[in-house]
Amino acid sequence: MSLYHVLTNSFTLWDEAYDCPRNLTTLKFERPVLGSFFLFFGVMFIVLYIPCFLAIVQKKSRAPVYQIMFALAIFDILSLSVNSVCTGIFDILGISFCHSPLIIFCLGAIAGGSWMAGCLACVMLAIERCVEINPQFPLEFLFRKSVFPFVRILMGMYTVYAYLFVKGLTFSSQFSCWFFDPLIGKDPLLYHSYPHTINNFAVGIATTALYIYISYRLICKFGYTTSMWLYKTKRQILFQAITLCIFHTAAAFIYEYMQFIEVTPVIIIASQFIWQWSNGAVCLAYLIFNRTIRNLVVKIMVPKSVRKRFGWYIGADEHIALEEAGGPTLSAGLGTVNAVGGVIKFDNFMFN
């Protein structure tokens, strides 16, 4: 009942669990309006995420935070490709699991694996942010140069396990959502995924606790400041922590709730949107709040000649060149950024 079984059994599903009744192979539930929404937001998020991903690659930083962000971007884009783009197409065409069992099962395995691997990356990213705020944080040792390579190996092993050895999701156009149960009349307990349950409860509890800690440290240790820049930055960080934590925690707990308790169609569709936004909100946070990534995206997407024409000077190298040329600079503002960066690397902050 996993992708590994499919790959090692001539790309066939386990008949006892996934053999569809003949009447379900022709039954369709077309939902063009809802599917268009999923498809639109999915394409939008991927289009916004790709430049952010290229900016992370261009950064060429060996810092653990960028390595985690690199992995998270891959998982998020893969998730969006399935939970948004494929969901939208299936809704528009009325396609469910029984119409293309093998393809949908493989897509579901990719989506489920990306979700679980992305959850681990999110928790690691939150821990890294705690370390940046408080160098004495108990898990600081995970990001030491001698330890982090082993952390990478463990993250890689968990990723392989999530993709290959966890039960795959299946899609139902009737509910416009992905379930472990293909809804073909067999016992739902047969499809329950205990690794997925453990993962969801762990990420929901861990991210909530870590972001509460981050918010507490920011409010208590940096509660009062005369710097308007620091005040706005702290407010942005808190806003990111609350917003993105809500998306991930809600997606994790709602999906577990649906595995055990019957819910209304509204909650089912809402859970799908929350899952979509838990991946897509990351790129929005990059572009809105993360100055480093945003500047790199502008440098990638906007030619230097165009930026010069409009007076956009991105990065220290362009500001130095402008100073040498005798043009107006924003050195005072940059000084404020650098002065604060020595204490906490606010410029790199992005929560997930």
Side-chain angles (χ1 to χ4, degrees):
M1 298 177 71
S2 66
L3 187 59
Y4 178 80
H5 177 275
V6 173
L7 297 176
T8 56
N9 286 271
S10 304
F11 290 91
T12 57
L13 298 176
W14 186 32
D15 287 340
E16 292 184 25
Y18 296 105
D19 187 28
C20 290
R22 187 176 299 275
N23 64 307
L24 293 181
T25 60
T26 57
L27 187 63
K28 290 191 175 184
F29 295 90
E30 297 180 1
R31 312 182 80 170
V33 176
L34 186 60
S36 298
F37 273 105
F38 281 122
L39 183 60
F40 170 78
F41 282 109
V43 172
M44 181 190 74
F45 285 140
I46 292 174
V47 168
L48 292 175
Y49 216 138
I50 289 176
C52 297
F53 175 70
L54 295 176
I56 295 170
V57 174
Q58 191 181 73
K59 183 72 176 174
K60 295 180 181 178
S61 175
R62 294 187 178 181
V65 62
Y66 282 101
Q67 296 181 43
I68 297 171
M69 289 163 64
F70 174 82
L72 181 60
I74 295 175
F75 299 142
D76 280 340
I77 292 173
L78 287 174
S79 288
L80 287 167
S81 299
V82 178
N83 68 21
S84 300
V85 177
C86 290
T87 297
I89 294 173
F90 294 160
D91 270 342
I92 292 171
L93 300 178
I95 296 175
S96 292
F97 170 74
C98 288
H99 296 108
S100 300
L102 179 60
I103 293 175
I104 290 180
F105 182 88
C106 291
L107 290 173
I110 292 171
S114 298
W115 164 257
M116 290 181 62
C119 284
L120 178 59
C122 292
V123 173
M124 292 301 300
L125 189 59
I127 294 173
E128 198 277 339
R129 297 315 188 189
C130 292
V131 173
E132 286 191 0
I133 287 179
N134 178 20
Q136 304 303 318
F137 190 72
L139 298 177
E140 171 273 335
F141 70 94
L142 293 175
F143 303 96
R144 295 174 187 170
K145 184 177 290 187
S146 59
V147 177
F148 190 70
F150 296 100
V151 174
R152 279 203 313 264
I153 293 173
L154 291 176
M155 291 179 67
M157 292 172 62
Y158 186 76
T159 299
V160 172
Y161 171 75
Y163 278 111
L164 293 181
F165 300 104
V166 176
K167 295 173 183 176
L169 293 163
T170 61
F171 183 75
S172 169
S173 59
Q174 180 180 359
F175 297 100
S176 189
C177 195
W178 294 80
F179 303 99
F180 289 104
D181 183 356
L183 306 177
I184 56 177
K186 298 183 183 294
D187 183 7
L189 293 178
L190 178 66
Y191 306 97
H192 183 74
S193 174
Y194 292 101
H196 195 269
T197 297
I198 295 171
N199 175 89
N200 283 1
F201 278 110
V203 72
I205 295 171
T207 53
T208 301
L210 290 168
Y211 287 138
I212 288 175
Y213 174 82
I214 291 170
S215 301
Y216 172 79
R217 289 284 299 186
L218 287 173
I219 292 172
C220 292
K221 187 166 183 178
F222 301 94
Y224 174 76
T225 178
T226 57
S227 168
M228 182 57 68
W229 181 89
L230 182 56
Y231 169 76
K232 290 182 178 179
T233 301
K234 183 177 68 174
R235 185 176 62 184
Q236 290 175 348
I237 292 172
L238 291 173
F239 178 77
Q240 293 175 74
I242 294 170
T243 303
L244 297 180
C245 180
I246 286 174
F247 279 122
H248 262 85
T249 303
F253 286 145
I254 289 177
Y255 262 84
E256 288 314 306
Y257 182 81
M258 291 194 306
Q259 284 202 69
F260 297 100
I261 300 174
E262 186 176 349
V263 297
T264 64
V266 174
I267 294 178
I268 294 174
I269 293 174
S271 70
Q272 188 66 27
F273 270 110
I274 292 172
W275 181 19
Q276 178 190 57
W277 277 78
S278 70
N279 300 125
V282 180
C283 64
L284 297 181
Y286 281 141
L287 296 172
I288 296 173
F289 300 112
N290 192 309
R291 184 180 296 102
T292 302
I293 299 300
R294 184 174 64 244
N295 287 347
L296 287 172
V297 169
V298 172
K299 291 182 75 171
I300 291 172
M301 302 302 294
V302 183
K304 191 172 183 179
S305 58
V306 175
R307 286 188 278 113
K308 279 187 175 181
R309 185 181 307 169
F310 290 95
W312 299 347
Y313 297 94
I314 308 298
D317 54 338
E318 294 188 9
H319 281 282
I320 292 172
L322 181 63
E323 273 192 6
E324 292 175 349
T329 65
L330 298 174
S331 56
L334 290 173
T336 304
V337 173
N338 293 332
V340 176
V343 181
I344 298 177
K345 295 176 280 186
F346 287 110
D347 199 44
N348 289 336
F349 257 97
M350 199 297 297
F351 291 94
N352 190 39

